[in-house]
Amino acid sequence: MYLIHAQFRAPSEGCALPADAARRVLALARSGEGVEHVTAHPYAQPHPVLGLFLLAHSLHEAEGRAAGVCRRLLREHRDMSGWALLKAEVPLLAPLGHGPLGPPGMPSTPLDLRRE
């Protein structure tokens, strides 16, 4: 299973994705596309994001399917006119213990692994 983040450019600054955007994408997904779950991050910066969880044989296939279903969303829902799909790709996440995924105050490199 892959998590693909689809980033959208709003028609004007400050616009959020429609409240039911995740439900719409799930409804538009075809049975062979492998879309299992969709979640919305309507106020993500710098662009709103839909997170699509897909079953696919490869990352390339998952990204292509996510982009296809998101383009379908933009074509088939009139209130999405003016929105644009910027990209659909796997998000880069920091390893555990690095950045926002680690506990507060935790160093990015454990003490026993630091170079002297």
Side-chain angles (χ1 to χ4, degrees), residues 6-79:
Q7 286 190 359
F8 293 86
R9 185 183 63 236
S12 60
E13 194 171 325
C15 285
L17 285 169
D20 63 345
R23 183 191 56 76
R24 291 181 191 188
V25 168
L26 198 53
L28 287 169
R30 298 176 181 145
S31 62
E33 290 177 312
V35 178
E36 295 286 315
H37 178 74
V38 182
T39 186
H41 305 281
Y43 300 102
Q45 294 296 321
H47 302 288
V49 171
L50 288 176
L52 291 83
F53 292 84
L54 295 99
L55 294 174
H57 293 292
S58 70
L59 171 60
H60 180 74
E61 183 180 327
E63 289 175 337
R65 288 180 186 177
V69 100
C70 288
R71 283 190 210 98
R72 203 173 308 133
L73 171 73
L74 299 177
R75 277 194 317 268
E76 296 189 16
H77 288 274
R78 289 187 139 166
D79 63 336

